[in-house]
Amino acid sequence: PQSSHTAKTIRGKSLCILNTQRENMKLILVLLFMAPLGLSADYFSADSAGSPETKSRFAMLDDVRILANGLLQLGHGLKDFVHKTKGQMNDIFQKLYIFDRSFYELSLQTSEIKEEEEQLRQTTARLQINNEEIKNLSQEMNLKIEDLIQNKIQLQEKVWGLEDKVTKLAIIQPLMQETKEISSLKAFVEQQDNNIKQLLKIVEDQHLQLNRQHNQIMELEDKLNHIEFQELTENSFTEEQPEPETNPIPVLKATAGRYRSDGAAPDCTALYHSGERFSGVYTIKPNGSEAFDVYCEMKFGTSWTVIQKRVDGSLDFNQTWDAYTKGFGDLNEEFWLGLNKTYSITTQGDYILRIELQDWRGNKRHIEYLFSLGGPDTNYTLQLSRISGSIPNALPEQTELQFSTADRDVDTKHDSNCPENFLGGWWHSECEETNLNGKYVTPRSRVRPDRRKGLYWKPKKGRYYLLKSTKIMIHPMDLKSFD
């Protein structure tokens, strides 16, 4: 409204100047028209009087000259006035142009303000809806709190009633005969209690014996299963590999899983054969490598070398290439052993890769592969062949999988960076597949992208198995290790 009033004011001033110029032009025309009339009247009056003394002809010429001078000065004045008027008009036009431009910019800003106002109105509406939801939740919580208060009051009343009863019982003194009966009953109860304790001890001893027998049976079953799976695997590899030069049958190396004469154990299986029977952190020294610490898990009548363990999400597995190469974490909690250390172990012979998984419902599954791991020059290429398992396979077999991290994506088959998009270093064949080094996500997470970046097991045409804990272990593929 203020800009519109200014425009009207400027236009009004310009119209006043134009009207003034028009009036001045009319005055000039009137003067030019009346000047000849005055001269002719003086001329004729002089002739009719016939007296050269009153006014001569030269006096008339002087008057004409004076009048011409006046008209000339008036013309110069009008010329100056016209120039000034033109300048003022140019200034007015310039101001009008600036005003039009400012008015256009102001209209653009007004449009933007209207759009922002509409967005603000929509945001306000959403906030009002959220406020209503919060209000409803608050009312529900208030109702629940009131119920809890009522329950608390009822419990307090019951407690007070019990205290009154106890007080009354303490006041009443029992008779002597009643006291004797109570003493005899107390002695009888104590004797029965001792008998029950003896029976419980006998039951506990029997329970421990049953547990030992059960563990021995489980170990024997696992040994039998491993032997059967090994025989099946060897037969299937023989039938499925017509070209031994491209996919050779694994040849066991005598150094794997053996306690060396120099006193240094090459892996956890060798430590088991040397007499160690408890799971924990031990120092090993594979052939051609420096000594380093590993976690050994004693199970199935032997010992496995653990290369990865996740239990609670306390460790961030979104690490760099160097970290995955050297290893990180605490061997007694969550950790990644390191690609260099794992490679130094597997160069001693042929190993089995065992993956143990547990979901959020407490269900435990496992899968085992015969595998080979390349060195740093191959980006630690992994190649798998399934042996056994209680869960569908989710890793491509007979495929060379290169290890990748967010800062070193060696996968050239896909445009996107799988480790950067789905977090954690892993042997990726394609994105959105199994990733046991992904982000630790609980089932309560409602954000779909977080669940897809989480710790899960996903067969190629199956569903996501969101995991609570994982463990990756290796063991030499030597049946004598299971004896």
Side-chain angles (χ1 to χ4, degrees):
Q2 186 176 0
S3 59
S4 176
H5 177 71
T6 305
K8 290 180 180 178
T9 304
I10 294 173
R11 289 193 177 92
K13 289 182 179 181
S14 61
L15 290 175
C16 289
I17 293 171
L18 290 173
N19 290 331
T20 304
Q21 190 177 5
R22 288 174 184 171
E23 293 296 330
N24 291 333
M25 291 298 295
K26 289 180 181 179
L27 180 62
I28 292 170
L29 292 174
V30 170
L31 290 173
L32 291 175
F33 178 73
M34 292 185 66
L37 294 178
L39 289 174
S40 60
D42 293 338
Y43 179 75
F44 286 117
S45 64
D47 288 341
S48 60
S51 55
E53 292 84 3
T54 57
K55 197 162 188 177
S56 67
R57 188 175 179 180
F58 294 104
M60 292 172 60
L61 291 173
D62 289 337
D63 292 336
V64 170
R65 204 173 281 115
I66 291 169
L67 183 60
N69 267 337
L71 292 172
L72 183 61
Q73 291 177 1
L74 181 61
H76 283 302
L78 289 173
K79 184 177 181 182
D80 293 337
F81 177 75
V82 169
H83 282 300
K84 290 180 182 179
T85 304
K86 286 183 178 179
Q88 291 176 354
M89 291 297 293
N90 289 331
D91 292 338
I92 291 170
F93 288 143
Q94 186 69 22
K95 291 178 180 179
L96 284 172
Y97 173 74
I98 294 171
F99 168 75
D100 290 338
R101 186 174 178 182
S102 300
F103 185 77
Y104 174 72
E105 293 177 353
L106 184 61
S107 64
L108 293 177
Q109 293 178 359
T110 303
S111 300
E112 293 178 355
I113 292 171
K114 286 182 179 179
E115 292 178 358
E116 292 178 355
E117 183 181 359
E118 183 63 25
Q119 294 178 357
L120 183 61
R121 189 180 294 110
Q122 294 176 359
T123 304
T124 304
R126 287 196 298 269
L127 289 174
Q128 288 177 351
I129 294 172
N130 293 335
N131 190 22
E132 290 295 329
E133 293 179 354
I134 292 171
K135 189 183 296 181
N136 294 331
L137 291 174
S138 178
Q139 292 176 355
E140 292 179 1
M141 289 180 67
N142 288 332
L143 293 174
K144 292 181 179 179
I145 289 171
E146 290 177 358
D147 293 337
L148 290 173
I149 292 172
Q150 293 295 329
N151 293 332
K152 181 181 177 182
I153 293 171
Q154 293 175 1
L155 289 173
Q156 285 179 347
E157 291 177 353
K158 292 180 180 179
V159 170
W160 291 336
L162 291 173
E163 288 179 352
D164 292 337
K165 291 180 180 179
V166 170
T167 303
K168 291 177 181 178
L169 289 173
I171 294 172
I172 299 172
Q173 296 295 330
L175 300 176
M176 288 297 295
Q177 186 177 0
E178 294 177 351
T179 303
K180 292 179 180 179
E181 292 178 356
I182 291 171
S183 299
S184 62
L185 288 173
K186 185 177 180 182
F188 177 75
V189 169
E190 288 178 353
Q191 187 174 357
Q192 292 292 332
D193 185 54
N194 292 329
N195 294 333
I196 291 171
K197 288 180 179 178
Q198 292 176 0
L199 290 173
L200 286 174
K201 187 177 180 181
I202 294 170
V203 171
E204 288 178 357
D205 293 338
Q206 292 179 352
H207 182 67
L208 290 174
Q209 291 179 1
L210 290 173
N211 282 336
R212 292 194 192 99
Q213 293 175 358
H214 178 71
N215 291 333
Q216 291 175 358
I217 292 170
M218 291 294 295
E219 290 180 1
L220 291 173
E221 288 180 353
D222 289 329
K223 290 179 181 180
L224 290 174
N225 289 334
H226 278 286
I227 293 171
E228 291 176 357
F229 287 134
Q230 177 64 23
E231 292 175 352
L232 291 173
T233 304
E234 291 177 353
N235 293 333
S236 61
F237 271 103
T238 305
E239 294 175 357
E240 295 176 2
Q241 295 180 358
E243 298 180 1
E245 63 276 10
T246 57
N247 293 314
I249 299 174
V251 178
L252 304 179
K253 299 176 185 176
T255 56
R258 289 290 178 268
Y259 188 83
R260 294 209 302 270
S261 58
D262 58 1
D267 60 9
C268 291
T269 307
L271 284 170
Y272 182 84
H273 287 295
S274 68
E276 299 293 343
R277 291 294 184 270
F278 297 99
S279 299
V281 179
Y282 294 89
T283 301
I284 65 171
K285 189 178 185 302
N287 289 336
S289 172
E290 296 181 355
F292 54 85
D293 291 339
V294 294
Y295 188 90
C296 298
E297 182 160 330
M298 311 293 177
K299 62 193 308 182
F300 309 134
T302 183
S303 180
W304 297 72
T305 306
V306 183
I307 65 172
Q308 186 251 37
K309 183 180 180 182
R310 305 191 70 176
V311 291
D312 55 9
S314 58
L315 178 62
D316 184 10
F317 272 68
N318 189 21
Q319 301 282 343
T320 62
W321 175 268
D322 290 338
Y324 270 99
T325 302
K326 298 175 182 177
F328 53 88
D330 187 346
L331 292 176
N332 287 307
E333 296 178 3
E334 291 195 337
F335 67 91
W336 173 261
L337 181 61
L339 294 169
N340 276 339
K341 297 174 183 176
T342 306
Y343 174 69
S344 66
I345 297 173
T346 57
T347 55
Q348 303 177 111
D350 298 287
Y351 276 75
I352 294 173
L353 180 73
R354 180 182 174 91
I355 300 175
E356 294 184 352
L357 310 174
Q358 182 179 4
D359 62 16
W360 287 90
R361 296 181 179 178
N363 299 319
K364 295 182 179 180
R365 300 286 186 271
H366 77 277
I367 191 167
E368 292 183 358
Y369 297 96
L370 177 67
F371 81 104
S372 64
L373 182 66
D377 54 336
T378 66
N379 295 315
Y380 302 98
T381 299
L382 179 69
Q383 193 167 1
L384 301 170
S385 294
R386 174 175 171 146
I387 299 175
S388 64
S390 57
I391 192 171
N393 185 21
L395 296 174
E397 297 185 52
Q398 304 298 338
T399 303
E400 292 185 350
L401 306 175
Q402 293 185 344
F403 198 86
S404 298
T405 57
D407 62 332
R408 184 170 176 176
D409 183 17
V410 299
D411 185 10
T412 59
K413 299 178 182 178
H414 306 92
D415 297 333
S416 61
N417 188 336
C418 295
E420 183 177 356
N421 295 331
F422 295 91
L423 307 179
W426 191 249
W427 292 278
H428 290 279
S429 64
E430 59 183 36
C431 295
E432 300 185 28
E433 62 177 9
T434 292
N435 182 6
L436 300 185
N437 289 336
K439 182 179 180 181
Y440 195 88
V441 177
T442 62
R444 294 188 297 273
S445 177
R446 298 181 180 178
V447 183
R448 186 63 180 174
D450 282 348
R451 291 174 65 90
R452 293 174 63 184
K453 293 180 182 179
L455 182 64
Y456 60 85
W457 182 268
K458 182 185 180 301
K460 192 170 184 62
K461 295 184 179 180
R463 65 182 181 87
Y464 287 88
Y465 291 88
L466 195 61
L467 303 175
K468 181 179 181 181
S469 64
T470 66
K471 191 182 297 180
I472 304 176
M473 308 179 293
I474 59 175
H475 186 283
M477 200 180 114
D478 186 352
L479 294 180
K480 293 181 180 179
S481 302
F482 294 95
D483 293 341

